Amino acid sequence: MHDILRNEKYSGVYVFNKTASKNAFGKRNGHAIKDDEDVVRVPDGMPALISPEDYQKVFEKMKANKRSPAAYEATETYLLSGLIVCGECLEKHDH
């Protein structure tokens, strides 16, 4: 479900050249994502199922709900687990 909600095609953006090509053995690794400057995005390249604004709202909500990796390493759940943010930029950091 997470990957479906993050897929830009539902907002009408056609995306290609996102994953690495086949290796020397003819195998493709769909998890090997290319750098963002190599990815081609065509706005309105396909019919949108949701508005770009709604897609952006979902993206921001999912980003806000993302738990810090350290939250999964604690042996106990603490009152502020995954909620602490940087005092300067107000963002959660991985370090």
Side-chain angles (χ1 to χ4, degrees), residues 29-47:
N29 181 355
H31 298 288
I33 304 298
K34 291 184 178 182
D35 291 333
D36 205 42
E37 64 266 2
D38 295 329
V39 177
V40 178
R41 288 180 170 82
V42 181
D44 299 320
M46 58 191 320

Side-chain angles (χ1 to χ4, degrees), residues 8 17 28 30 36 53 56 87 93:
E8 293 175 85
N17 198 35
R28 182 182 305 275
D36 205 42
E53 295 80 20
Q56 189 62 36
H93 295 287

Side-chain angles (χ1 to χ4, degrees), residues 61-91:
K61 179 68 173 167
M62 289 175 62
K63 185 176 164 185
N65 288 345
K66 186 176 179 181
R67 293 185 66 176
S68 128
Y72 295 106
E73 294 176 12
T75 55
E76 296 181 33
T77 301
Y78 296 97
L79 184 62
L80 299 177
S81 292
L83 299 177
I84 303 297
V85 296
C86 173
E88 290 184 27
C89 68
L90 301 178
E91 291 287 327

